Amino acid sequence: MSLPRPLPLGNSSFSRIKVAGQIYVDKTRLIFDLSSKKEKFLLTRPRRFGKSLLISTFESLFKFGLRDFRGLEADIGSWSLNARKEQRMSQRSWKKQFLN
């Protein structure tokens, strides 16, 4: 009998959740779709509802590419080489919008 995977209580780092094998609700397709747009978005969520994890997932995408996305929906999605190049090009403007 296998034990259930642990919940990521107090852990808001996408990379650490993946490495630790903790439960993660896969919304990487939505993250890919949002990051592919050239528009600005206001991302509001209730308190304690994953805002830091969402930003951490974007950070992992732009810093490490698909490294942490193996086995998730974005890994098997439409991540062509051209799409990834475009993502890297828009990374600088994304960081300015979210981190400043």
Side-chain angles (χ1 to χ4, degrees):
M1 179 174 166
S2 65
L3 295 173
R5 294 185 339 192
L7 292 171
L9 299 175
N11 186 359
S12 61
S13 168
F14 176 73
S15 297
R16 285 194 312 239
I17 288 172
K18 288 291 291 173
V19 167
Q22 296 174 325
I23 292 176
Y24 174 75
V25 177
D26 186 5
K27 296 192 179 188
T28 54
R29 167 62 68 185
L30 297 171
I31 289 169
F32 170 73
D33 291 343
L34 278 176
S35 64
S36 299
K37 308 267 188 233
K38 301 235 182 233
E39 304 164 23
K40 293 181 181 179
F41 294 94
L42 174 63
L43 303 171
T44 60
R45 314 262 326 243
R47 194 172 153 227
R48 308 271 313 147
F49 208 77
K51 293 180 292 291
S52 296
L53 179 58
L54 176 65
I55 296 301
S56 175
T57 307
F58 274 114
E59 179 183 33
S60 178
L61 172 66
F62 289 122
K63 273 188 177 177
F64 310 117
L66 296 177
R67 181 192 80 179
D68 297 328
F69 290 81
R70 304 276 185 255
L72 297 176
E73 189 174 357
D75 183 35
I76 58 174
S78 59
W79 282 80
S80 68
L81 182 60
N82 290 335
R84 283 186 268 159
K85 283 181 183 176
E86 187 176 318
Q87 298 297 92
R88 278 189 232 118
M89 291 175 67
S90 67
Q91 176 182 5
R92 288 183 186 91
S93 64
W94 182 87
K95 281 185 177 179
K96 287 178 187 174
Q97 292 172 16
F98 281 95
L99 302 178
N100 289 332

